[in-house]
Amino acid sequence: MHINSKDNPRVKLFRKLLSSKKARDEQELFAVEGARNCVDTAYEAICGRIKVHSVFYTQTALKKYESTLKVDNLFSCARPEDTFEISDELAKKMTDEGSSQGIYMIAYKVDLPFAAENIDKNGKYLVLDNLQDPGNLGTLLRTADAVGVSGVVMTDNCVDLYNPKVVRSAMGSISRLDLFVADSFLSAAKIFVDLGIVTAAAVVRNGENITEFDFNKPCAVVIGNEGRGLPEEHSDVCQKRVTISMQGNIESLNAACAGTIILWEMFRGGSRG
């Protein structure tokens, strides 16, 4: 099917999902931009991990990426009547980015209810409390996907998981991870403790060195806000505290950098307890 007008209802829905969290929440949908991001999401849809609402593509994009990406996935992840060819001109109008790669998608949200029955009591989890930067969240999702975490838990005061900047920087990881948005940090911490999963607050100082912490056991490491870190009352709720020991002249790392180091240590292997 062809779409040529920016006033088409599907195009207008895509634009609304890009700009409005309210629309994303009401529709239970989110927008996906970029060739690789969309093709990877299409593959996960074929595998049953995500459901696709609409696909948009240009002929120019198909020809450009057919030798490097499995663009045929775009035609297998949704019904033919939900797959639309668009013009290059319309593709440029659908994005807020400076340039268009000519492939877009609308997908259904994938986060799971945060409840004990959805948590692996033998798992390893990353918990994000009041993280606000979309780029940081996207980077941490990609890293969590790379190392193989059991899931990522976000408190409800974090940046929106489906913010377009998060979706772009996560590069398809949203559809591959078990993701949870908890009502509050305290409720999340209680569920972990009740399941016997050790909670560990990432703190700047006075925590156990992460190279010595026993990550072989089920655990949930908590990373706080970029500027303020974890509130003391949240650190106090955690059973352990972990710190990245640094030899240089800075006091703390960017949240995404710190999280990446911690995630690496969590899955590096070998008993360090």
Side-chain angles (χ1 to χ4, degrees), residues 132-191:
Q132 293 299 305
D133 183 85
N136 283 340
L137 177 53
T139 297
L140 285 169
L141 293 179
R142 288 185 71 185
T143 306
D145 185 15
V147 300
V149 298
S150 303
V152 179
V153 181
M154 290 144 282
T155 54
D156 63 355
N157 56 2
C158 284
V159 61
D160 180 23
L161 170 61
Y162 303 101
N163 179 298
K165 292 182 179 179
V166 175
V167 177
R168 284 195 294 268
S169 57
M171 288 299 292
S173 292
I174 284 176
S175 58
R176 292 188 289 266
L177 288 163
D178 282 349
L179 301 170
F180 308 88
V181 179
D183 290 338
S184 71
F185 172 79
L186 296 179
S187 64
K190 184 178 187 304
I191 287 177

Side-chain angles (χ1 to χ4, degrees), residues 191-264:
I191 287 177
F192 281 126
V193 171
D194 288 347
L195 290 172
I197 297 173
V198 174
T199 53
V203 294
V204 173
R205 62 181 68 85
N206 299 326
E208 186 174 347
N209 193 315
I210 60 165
T211 61
E212 303 298 328
F213 189 81
D214 185 5
F215 284 116
N216 292 312
K217 298 177 181 178
C219 59
V221 178
V222 187
I223 295 175
N225 178 266
E226 291 88 347
R228 299 184 298 276
L230 283 172
E232 193 66 28
E233 59 268 28
H234 289 184
S235 298
D236 288 344
V237 167
C238 293
Q239 297 156 296
K240 302 283 186 178
R241 296 186 182 212
V242 292
T243 296
I244 299 171
S245 178
M246 292 179 286
Q247 305 302 317
N249 298 316
I250 62 171
E251 183 179 71
S252 63
L253 294 169
N254 166 278
C257 292
T260 295
I261 293 170
I262 291 169
L263 284 167
W264 171 255

